[in-house]
Amino acid sequence: QQQQVGLSSPVGPSSLEVDGSDAEDEAWDDHLAAVPGGGDFRSLPWDARRALLQSHSFDLPCEVMAVNIRDVRYSQGSIGRRFRNGRPLASLVEDLVSGGVHPMEDNFLILDAAWLRGRRSGEPAYRSFDNRRLHCLKRCYELYKWPEQVRLRVYTLPKIVQKMLRNSSSDNNGQQVSIRGGGRSRDE
């Protein structure tokens, strides 16, 4: 793992692009085929997704870097009001404001992320897998204009995983598909 802490600007897509050899993609295909639900990565709970991404069977390249908080996006549309340990999100905001914890010093505030294009917008951005902690950091920034920078552990995902994340939109575990567009096709 590379360590690059204290960068003044985020690393752009060119430095995080994946070369993605066919062998690497085939290895991910084999690994994802074993995923419960027929390999539908997006059907997995976030904990299972994180475990897959942090799997020791693949040495995913990553680097820790400081990034402007405004450049980090959520990877989920909603979050719970509490952390898994039952602690309310507001308690982390209070700890940040009081100085009890600091995003550039406390390692639990390094957020796991990837440089991904949005499924709908196509816009590339850092997407955090730690949405509750990101929310607390962004809330603190919204209220106090601090912290401007957060640390991310940015994973370089193989191209096949990037494609799967970009294309996966099934709400029914891949059991059915609808055809977009109002006109009739020749096949109908």
Side-chain angles (χ1 to χ4, degrees):
Q1 291 185 7
Q2 301 171 355
Q3 295 275 324
Q4 285 191 315
V5 177
L7 298 176
S8 59
S9 63
V11 173
S14 61
S15 64
L16 294 175
E17 294 279 326
V18 178
D19 290 334
S21 68
D22 289 337
E24 177 185 36
D25 287 349
E26 288 174 18
W28 271 97
D29 284 342
D30 293 343
H31 189 64
L32 292 176
V35 171
D40 186 358
F41 184 80
R42 291 183 58 89
S43 71
L44 295 174
W46 279 101
D47 290 344
R49 291 182 201 187
R50 178 185 296 204
L52 179 61
L53 293 174
Q54 294 176 339
S55 168
H56 293 293
S57 61
F58 293 95
D59 292 325
L60 290 178
C62 71
E63 57 185 304
V64 175
M65 62 182 67
V67 175
N68 188 302
I69 194 166
R70 294 176 305 234
D71 294 332
V72 184
R73 306 278 174 85
Y74 298 100
S75 60
Q76 294 174 270
S78 63
I79 57 173
R81 295 183 179 278
R82 297 180 174 274
F83 291 101
R84 279 187 221 113
N85 65 5
R87 189 174 175 213
L89 301 181
S91 65
L92 178 54
V93 175
E94 291 168 8
D95 288 348
L96 286 161
V97 170
S98 71
V101 296
H102 193 285
M104 301 306 282
E105 296 170 5
D106 292 291
N107 287 341
F108 82 95
L109 289 172
I110 299 174
L111 307 176
D112 288 335
W115 179 261
L116 298 170
R117 292 189 180 278
R119 190 174 49 156
R120 291 193 177 107
S121 71
E123 180 183 342
Y126 293 107
R127 308 283 174 173
S128 173
F129 304 126
D130 299 314
N131 292 284
R132 285 177 281 204
R133 283 182 280 153
L134 176 59
H135 168 78
C136 294
L137 290 159
K138 282 186 174 272
R139 181 69 177 143
C140 192
Y141 180 80
E142 180 184 301
L143 295 171
Y144 302 102
K145 300 299 180 222
W146 179 89
E148 286 188 32
Q149 300 242 319
V150 295
R151 291 182 296 164
L152 300 181
R153 184 179 300 107
V154 180
Y155 286 91
T156 304
L157 303 178
K159 284 184 179 181
I160 190 67
V161 174
Q162 293 179 32
K163 182 177 181 179
M164 183 178 290
L165 290 169
R166 185 174 55 250
N167 292 347
S168 296
S169 62
S170 176
D171 292 330
N172 58 38
N173 199 21
Q175 298 294 318
Q176 298 176 341
V177 68
S178 61
I179 299 173
R180 291 188 300 264
R184 294 181 61 112
S185 75
R186 291 184 205 168
D187 294 336
E188 291 182 11

